[in-house]
Amino acid sequence: MTKRVAILISGGGSNMVALARDMAAPDHPAAPCIVVSNVPSAGGLARAEALGIPTAVVDHRPHGQDRASFEAKLADAMAPYDPDLICLAGFMRILTPDFVELFEGKMLNIHPSLLPKYKGLNTHARAIEAGDTFGGVTVHGVTAALDDGPIYGQARVPILPDDTPDTLADQVLAVEHRLYPAVLRRVASGVTAPLHLE
Ligand code: GRF
């Protein structure tokens, strides 16, 4: 059975597009069922529509600090599409343990660092600041702790002497677009052993 994948975004959605394009292959074990954004102006919404994927917006702002009520709406938006897997793809909201538990073992995230290094924000600046010779990207299962959970795939990107956070981010993003689809294919087929992409 083809796995149904919900993709959650907050921005341009380039990772979402990479996932959707890969899932368009006839032999793929998964297919996108809905793209949800918490940001009404997110550029990724139009890109999803252009790909023929249903979209929904669940704006977090009217919910203020009430994460649970925002997440209830998010779950409601996804429910009709009955996703087997949820891919967070540049989704910039922290999820509560209760929400994560609802989808335990079914939710993936992409994070632009070699976890467990540099959880949270500004990962590229922190890697350069630390004098690291490699940055990179991780796809992991989502657990209640931020940017934690089992690692399903990683890829390294060399940090060159002239790199700035922006140039490194560009290099890493290009690798994100290869790693996330490769990991989703594996996870949708039941393979969760870490993939090390070169
Ligand atoms: C990516 O760098 C992702 O790792 C980070 O946010 C960015 C999202 O880009 N969490 P996009 O919306 O997929 O283009």
Side-chain angles (χ1 to χ4, degrees):
M1 272 292 279
T2 303
K3 295 277 186 340
R4 303 167 60 80
V5 181
I7 306 174
L8 272 47
I9 63 169
S10 300
S14 68
N15 276 292
M16 176 276 296
V17 170
L19 291 171
R21 286 200 178 132
D22 195 56
M23 283 189 272
D27 66 331
H28 203 288
C33 60
I34 176 84
V35 168
V36 189
S37 173
N38 67 303
V39 177
S41 62
L45 287 165
R47 299 175 85 180
E49 279 157 24
L51 290 163
I53 308 167
T55 61
V57 173
V58 181
D59 192 344
H60 62 280
R61 289 171 303 182
H63 300 277
Q65 300 299 312
D66 189 349
R67 289 186 188 275
S69 80
F70 163 66
E71 289 170 351
K73 294 280 187 214
L74 195 55
D76 284 352
M78 289 190 288
Y81 299 91
D82 195 20
D84 301 300
L85 291 167
I86 299 173
C87 288
L88 307 182
F91 182 68
M92 302 305 284
R93 300 301 296 168
I94 291 174
L95 298 167
T96 66
D98 283 347
F99 185 82
V100 170
E101 212 170 89
L102 269 183
F103 299 103
E104 186 85 58
K106 298 168 78 175
M107 193 159 24
L108 281 65
N109 182 41
I110 187 156
H111 182 75
S113 79
L114 294 171
L115 289 174
K117 278 187 158 185
Y118 312 126
K119 298 176 180 182
L121 299 174
N122 303 318
T123 54
H124 306 305
R126 288 155 70 199
I128 290 171
E129 177 95 344
D132 292 358
T133 49
F134 283 94
V137 57
T138 304
V139 176
H140 64 94
V142 177
T143 57
L146 179 69
D147 297 330
D148 208 69
I151 289 175
Y152 296 148
Q154 278 188 322
R156 301 194 308 172
V157 174
I159 300 179
L160 305 176
D162 288 344
D163 265 329
T164 65
D166 284 346
T167 61
L168 181 56
D170 287 347
Q171 298 296 317
V172 171
L173 190 62
V175 175
E176 292 179 33
H177 298 161
R178 291 199 291 124
L179 182 71
Y180 211 173
V183 170
L184 178 60
R185 266 184 190 256
R186 286 160 64 91
V187 171
S189 323
V191 179
T192 54
L195 169 69
H196 293 283
L197 203 71
E198 289 305 326

